[in-house]
Amino acid sequence: MPVRPPYFSVALISATALAYEVLLMRLFSVIQWHHFSYMIIGLALLGYGMSGSLVSIFQHWVLRRSRLIYQACLLLFGITSVASFMLAQAIPFNAEMVLWDFHQVGYLLLIFLLLSLPFLFAASAICVAFMVYRGQVARIYAWDLAGAGVGSLAVIGLLFLAFPENILIVIGIMGLLAALIASWELGAPLSRKTLPVLLASLFLLILAAV
């Protein structure tokens, strides 16, 4: 990676991840009982914890391919932020049946794992930035926190202006935008393989919003 860390993409993915967390809390308070909205905090922590463990275990492999992995994680966040929620909605979970139908526990666990994926990819991208730019962790962390603060406030404002499902699509597009910004910051133009994936993902997200 270049000497200068990818500050803008770190800030944007942090803002988007926090906005996604707040949005999921809102969606779960409507779709399921409001008690389940609090589990979103656990989802985010699970994703961030898994990312730290995976990046640490495979750090030598990650460092050799840091630029590609960083961009891939941003791209995968944009895709899974929408896809994971849609897949979770297809799971026949019914909170009222948990006490006598043990299948519901499995459904809940599957939902939990699905929705933790976007946080895994967002956190992995940030972890890679920390690992590669060890001497500039403080500055990267400052951009990370600034992005998180802006994202948390922005999504609350958006909830007064748009339906949550439309905001979900915007969050997915912001993830793809973070990958695009990262390619500019790292001086790594999108390859012939990456560009079609990015364009196809953008098309699917726009199609989902229609």
Side-chain angles (χ1 to χ4, degrees):
M1 284 190 180
V3 177
R4 183 177 179 276
Y7 293 129
F8 295 114
S9 54
V10 166
L12 182 56
I13 196 61
S14 181
T16 310
L18 264 292
Y20 185 62
E21 183 177 351
V22 174
L23 180 63
L24 285 182
M25 293 180 70
R26 174 59 180 164
L27 288 168
F28 264 72
S29 67
V30 174
I31 297 169
Q32 301 291 346
W33 293 354
H34 72 277
H35 306 83
F36 289 96
S37 65
Y38 304 120
M39 88 174 188
I40 302 304
I41 299 173
L43 280 174
L45 292 176
L46 175 64
Y48 274 66
M50 287 192 299
S51 71
S53 300
L54 290 173
V55 171
S56 178
I57 292 171
F58 299 104
Q59 58 180 305
H60 298 297
W61 183 80
V62 169
L63 285 172
R64 288 197 299 270
R65 301 168 177 82
S66 59
R67 184 179 298 178
L68 175 62
I69 292 173
Y70 180 75
Q71 290 179 276
C73 286
L74 297 177
L75 182 61
L76 287 170
F77 171 84
I79 296 170
T80 57
S81 60
V82 178
S84 292
F85 181 78
M86 290 183 171
L87 289 173
Q89 286 298 100
I91 296 173
F93 173 69
N94 189 332
E96 296 178 345
M97 299 173 62
V98 169
L99 293 178
W100 62 83
D101 183 2
F102 290 106
H103 291 93
Q104 300 300 322
V105 177
Y107 292 150
L108 181 60
L109 178 60
L110 184 55
I111 291 173
F112 205 85
L113 291 174
L114 272 174
L115 294 179
S116 67
L117 285 177
F119 297 107
L120 168 65
F121 293 123
S124 294
I126 297 172
C127 282
V128 170
F130 283 147
M131 183 180 293
V132 174
Y133 301 99
R134 297 176 186 269
Q136 302 184 62
V137 169
R139 290 186 178 181
I140 296 173
Y141 192 47
W143 283 81
D144 176 27
L145 290 179
V150 171
S152 302
L153 293 174
V155 72
I156 293 174
L158 284 174
L159 284 169
F160 288 98
L161 302 174
F163 292 110
E165 57 269 24
N166 294 333
I167 300 174
L168 181 66
I169 302 299
V170 172
I171 286 175
I173 293 174
M174 288 297 102
L176 301 183
L177 179 61
L180 191 61
I181 291 174
S183 69
W184 165 69
E185 288 184 299
L186 302 177
L190 296 174
S191 66
R192 293 181 179 179
K193 295 181 179 179
T194 309
L195 184 58
V197 174
L198 181 63
L199 294 176
S201 303
L202 180 60
F203 174 75
L204 290 175
L205 289 177
I206 294 173
L207 189 63
V210 177

